[in-house]
């Protein structure tokens, strides 16, 4: 099979490897029909997260089940499925909550060096009953692909931001996760959403979706726009030192900062005393992907929640190197790349 592999900063290639074996009697093999390039993949691509050796990339996939072990009950060969980017054992008390983050054996993420990469022809999926979900008829391929990670992450970020009905939210970073968080914040009751970024095209897109655009750093502008109070909730979808400080400075006293951006491996200089004196709640989240499906799928299927416009480029798997260059440019014209094996 073909799979996208990285072995160093900006060193991506398409490699032929043996087809994966069935990962146990509760596992399945999925023929990937669509895979996404995620902002998290760019941390490998740009060398921000070191890798020990060649890594098969990708953790967002939808496809067709082509093989399943005898213990698999919820999906069948031939069915179209989405694959949760975050995997758990599926059998422990933590996984019983539908949150792989609380798996007793520890969460695993596809395309990070342990499980196979989703940007490939085939993907081996352990604990298939937990990781896979048959795609409902009303859900499009692009919606299903967003449900595997970016939309689940943006939705969870908004959930954990303690957004009051009619409240004010700031979303820092307008990549795919940030835009999903923006739409999630509006769906969860925010009256005003400040959309924060450094790229003009991204700010224009957020404004077209009903947000108030603010050039980063944004704390001063948000404080002024809220009469000196600050935002009720801030969602940081970037995760750098600069964005975290901006988020902490932009939130009101007793407000919540919800972080889903991926920080580097260096310690963050948290201003503990100002946070303590202002009673700020700080939350950091890896998305409970499977748990979000019960809420998001009915909203998408009914048409009451719109995520159109997140994918802006589609290309075959053979052009993955170009896809990574597009994603890495972080331009105002492109948001997210979809690869089609």
């Amino acid at each position: 099979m073909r799979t996208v592999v990285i072995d160093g900063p900006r060193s991506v290639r398409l490699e032929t490897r043996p087809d994966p074996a069935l990962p146990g009697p509760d596992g399945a093999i999925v023929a990937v029909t669509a895979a996404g390039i995620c902002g998290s993949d760019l941390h490998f691509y740009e060398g921000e997260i070191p890798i020990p050796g060649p890594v098969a990339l990708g953790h967002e996939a939808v496809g067709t089940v082509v093989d399943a072990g005898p213990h698999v009950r919820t999906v069948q060969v031939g069915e179209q499925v989405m694959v949760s980017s975050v995997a758990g054992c599926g059998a422990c008390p933590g996984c019983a909550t539908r949150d792989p983050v609380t798996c007793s054996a520890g969460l695993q993420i596809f395309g990070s060096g342990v499980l196979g990469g989703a940007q490939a022809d085939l993907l081996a999926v352990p604990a298939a009953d937990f990781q896979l979900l048959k795609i409902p008829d009303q859900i499009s391929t692009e919606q299903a692909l967003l449900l595997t990670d970016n939309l689940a992450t943006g939705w969870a970020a908004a959930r954990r931001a303690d957004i009051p009905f009619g409240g004010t939210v700031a979303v820092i970073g307008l990549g795919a996760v940030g835009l999903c968080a923006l739409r999630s914040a509006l769906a969860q009751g925010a009256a005003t959403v400040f959309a924060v970024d450094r790229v003009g095209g991204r700010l224009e897109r957020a404004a077209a979706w009903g947000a108030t655009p603010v050039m980063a750093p944004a704390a001063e502008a948000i404080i002024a726009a809220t009469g000196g109070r600050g935002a009720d909730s801030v969602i940081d979808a970037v995760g750098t030192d600069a964005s975290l400080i901006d988020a902490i400075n932009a939130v009101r006293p007793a407000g919540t900062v919800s972080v889903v951006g991926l920080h580097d491996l260096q310690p963050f200089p948290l201003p503990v005393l100002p946070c303590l004196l202002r009673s700020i709640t700080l939350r950091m989240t890896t998305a409970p992907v499977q748990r979000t499906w019960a809420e998001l799928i009915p909203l998408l299927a009914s048409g009451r929640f719109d995520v159109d416009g997140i994918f802006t480029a589609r290309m075959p798997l053979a052009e993955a190197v170009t896809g990574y260059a597009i994603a890495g440019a972080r331009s105002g014209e492109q948001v997210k790349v979809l690869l089609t094996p």
Side-chain angles (χ1 to χ4, degrees):
M1 71 167 188
R2 301 169 304 162
T3 186
V4 177
V5 172
I6 187 167
D7 56 14
R10 299 187 183 274
S11 179
V12 171
R13 66 181 184 275
L14 194 64
E15 184 175 291
T16 299
R17 292 185 172 185
D19 291 353
L22 195 67
D26 64 347
I29 302 293
V30 174
V32 179
T33 54
I37 296 179
C38 180
S40 299
D41 297 324
L42 296 181
H43 291 287
F44 293 114
Y45 181 69
E46 293 167 345
E48 296 173 356
I49 296 179
I51 56 175
V55 171
L57 286 170
H59 52 266
E60 305 172 351
V62 298
T64 304
V65 178
V66 294
D67 195 7
H71 295 173
V72 177
R73 297 288 180 265
T74 61
V75 295
Q76 299 178 5
V77 171
E79 290 184 331
Q80 301 293 308
V81 294
M82 62 183 83
V83 186
S84 171
S85 58
V86 186
C89 73
C92 70
C95 289
T97 70
R98 306 300 297 166
D99 182 358
V101 176
T102 62
C103 177
S104 299
L107 67 84
Q108 295 183 350
I109 299 174
F110 289 95
S112 60
V114 179
L115 299 178
Q119 295 162 13
D121 291 314
L122 297 169
L123 181 64
V125 181
D129 286 341
F130 186 63
Q131 262 69 255
L132 300 181
L133 182 70
K134 181 181 177 182
I135 300 175
D137 293 337
Q138 306 93 324
I139 300 299
S140 70
T141 296
E142 290 190 357
Q143 289 173 332
L145 196 51
L146 288 173
L147 283 166
T148 67
D149 180 16
N150 288 172
L151 182 53
T153 300
W155 183 262
R159 276 285 195 214
R160 287 172 59 81
D162 298 327
I163 300 169
F165 287 105
T168 300
V169 179
V171 177
I172 300 176
L174 303 177
V177 170
L179 291 174
C180 287
L182 185 159
R183 292 194 172 187
S184 296
L186 291 169
Q188 292 177 29
T192 301
V193 177
F194 295 104
V196 181
D197 206 287
R198 296 180 182 273
V199 180
R202 290 183 169 192
L203 293 169
E204 292 171 6
R205 180 178 285 105
W209 291 352
T212 300
V214 183
M215 186 65 70
E220 184 175 344
I222 291 170
I223 295 296
T226 55
R229 186 166 184 263
D232 297 305
S233 309
V234 180
I235 298 169
D236 182 358
V238 180
T240 63
D241 284 5
S243 67
L244 287 164
I245 291 296
D246 203 26
I248 290 168
N249 289 339
V251 75
R252 65 165 170 81
T256 298
V257 174
S258 176
V259 182
V260 287
L262 191 61
H263 194 268
D264 60 28
L265 299 181
Q266 301 303 312
F268 169 61
L270 178 68
V272 175
L273 183 58
C275 291
L276 183 148
L277 292 176
R278 296 171 59 217
S279 295
I280 291 172
T281 297
L282 178 62
R283 290 193 172 122
M284 298 184 180
T285 301
T286 296
V289 176
Q290 292 89 327
R291 186 186 291 175
T292 68
W293 289 343
E295 296 176 327
L296 285 168
I297 289 174
L299 288 173
L300 292 169
S302 68
R304 297 187 64 183
F305 191 36
D306 177 21
V307 290
D308 291 344
I310 302 293
F311 285 102
T312 53
R314 178 188 291 256
M315 56 191 60
L317 187 69
E319 298 178 17
V321 173
T322 300
Y324 268 89
I326 290 172
R330 292 182 172 88
S331 72
E333 292 72 35
Q334 301 289 353
V335 178
K336 188 169 179 66
V337 177
L338 185 152
L339 300 174
T340 55

